[in-house]
Amino acid sequence: MTERAPAAVVDDVLDAVAAAAPEIRDGLPGRRRHIDDTNPSGETVLAADDFADDLLERRLTAVDGVGAYASEERESVVDAGDGVSVTCDPLDGSSNLKSNNPMGTVVGVYDAALPASGRDLVGAAYVLFGPVTTMGAAVDGEATEYLVDDGVRDSLGALTIPDDPTVYGFGGRVPEWPGDFAAYADAVESELKLRYGGAMVADVAQVLTYGGVFAYPALRSAPDGKLRLLFEGAPMGYIVEAAGGRSSDGTRSLLDVDADDLHQRVPVHLGNADLVTRLQSRLD
Ligand code: P6P
């Protein structure tokens, strides 16, 4: 396998993810049932999760310069030779399949062996299966939105979070929120409109489109929250920061959180800089 510049590999990874998107979307209708399996995070697995994971593993490990593939659905990393490491949440928000609500795919490209820190990211992308299929991607600090038409990504221009925030979406149950987050939520709820749909990709896309803040915070029963650092938090944080926003685990950028375990969870807060800064000052 040739030694390729990470940026060139990222470009091919984004093309491969876009090419797989229509096949994943077309494969959803017949795969809404659960299979008798749980993923490393202890979540039940849909046939659609398995299908998307197998497809993306094959397509992404075939990219020249990809040396490893890891996904939320797999215990360990798949070795693919030399090159960058790709993490994947193949079908983020797959529980929305039953209710026919939006969901997506999240991909991180790390120029390091896994588990790797967000500072090792050289690219990240999400695919949003909404009324149309779109992609948000960041490479070298620049975020771009694409329409994915027939498996090809067509640029819609720079992805930039609006200065004036409009929406918020907070996961977890209210009684589970620690007091400091609950106080922050009270303030934000009086300022912004609620937009929460249960799929991080779709909820963060709302924040990137309309401005605001998304959080799946630390919970009383789960101090590390629910979302996975390498598969969801860091890649989406990389995109939001490239779009002019901020990410935080409550005290620091998600890109600065040490990665010790492949499937470690992290509290996730993403959105306009001032809203995330206000949050951090409450939680610090
Ligand atoms: P809840 C989907 O299962 C997911 O991992 C994220 O996409 C989403 O933000 C969160 O969990 C939703 O969790 O507790 O609201 O169902």
Side-chain angles (χ1 to χ4, degrees):
M1 203 168 271
T2 55
E3 182 66 36
R4 298 181 68 201
V9 180
V10 170
D11 207 43
D12 287 355
V13 165
L14 297 185
D15 286 341
V17 172
E23 294 178 62
I24 292 172
R25 190 175 191 118
D26 292 346
L28 295 178
R31 293 182 171 88
R32 300 172 73 176
R33 71 192 185 287
H34 281 106
I35 58 177
D36 57 346
D37 193 1
T38 54
N39 68 15
S41 297
E43 297 160 337
T44 54
V45 178
L46 282 176
D49 291 313
D50 235 19
F51 166 72
D53 182 35
D54 285 345
L55 177 63
L56 287 164
E57 186 263 339
R58 279 183 278 114
R59 295 294 172 78
L60 294 177
T61 54
V63 172
D64 184 7
V66 170
Y69 173 88
S71 90
E72 276 195 7
E73 310 307 333
R74 296 170 190 251
E75 195 64 49
S76 53
V77 178
V78 175
D79 179 20
D82 297 325
V84 299
S85 302
V86 177
T87 62
C88 191
D89 181 1
L91 211 49
D92 173 71
S94 56
S95 57
N96 278 354
L97 190 51
K98 185 172 180 182
S99 54
N100 194 30
N101 288 105
M103 67 197 80
T105 296
V106 183
V107 173
V109 185
Y110 297 81
D111 193 12
L114 299 175
S117 147
R119 292 297 172 199
D120 293 315
L121 280 164
V122 289
Y126 64 79
V127 173
L128 175 55
F129 297 110
V132 298
T133 303
T134 54
M135 175 187 278
V139 185
D140 287 338
E142 285 193 22
T144 306
E145 185 178 25
Y146 301 89
L147 181 68
V148 179
D149 181 23
D150 199 20
V152 176
R153 55 190 171 108
D154 299 321
S155 174
L156 296 173
L159 187 55
T160 307
I161 192 167
D163 290 334
D164 297 329
T166 308
V167 300
Y168 76 94
F170 298 150
R173 293 174 52 251
V174 174
E176 279 272 4
W177 292 344
D180 48 10
F181 183 81
Y184 171 77
D186 276 349
V188 170
E189 284 163 358
S190 66
E191 300 165 15
L192 306 178
K193 291 192 292 186
L194 172 59
R195 288 289 183 275
Y196 187 82
M200 178 191 198
V201 170
D203 293 331
V204 174
Q206 291 254 29
V207 167
L208 288 169
T209 305
Y210 298 112
V213 57
F214 167 85
Y216 208 106
L219 304 177
R220 294 179 192 278
S221 62
D224 290 330
K226 174 183 181 184
L227 304 182
R228 277 62 42 144
L229 174 64
L230 275 79
F231 300 104
E232 295 165 300
M236 294 303 283
Y238 184 83
I239 294 167
V240 170
E241 291 189 10
R246 278 195 68 178
S247 78
S248 176
D249 69 343
T251 57
R252 67 182 66 78
S253 166
L254 289 168
L255 305 185
D256 290 323
V257 176
D258 290 336
D260 306 311
D261 177 79
L262 188 61
H263 294 280
Q264 75 186 67
R265 298 176 192 268
V266 67
V268 171
H269 316 83
L270 300 164
N272 285 88
D274 60 337
L275 282 166
V276 176
T277 302
R278 273 171 58 187
L279 170 92
Q280 279 199 180
S281 60
R282 276 210 185 253
L283 269 58
D284 261 343

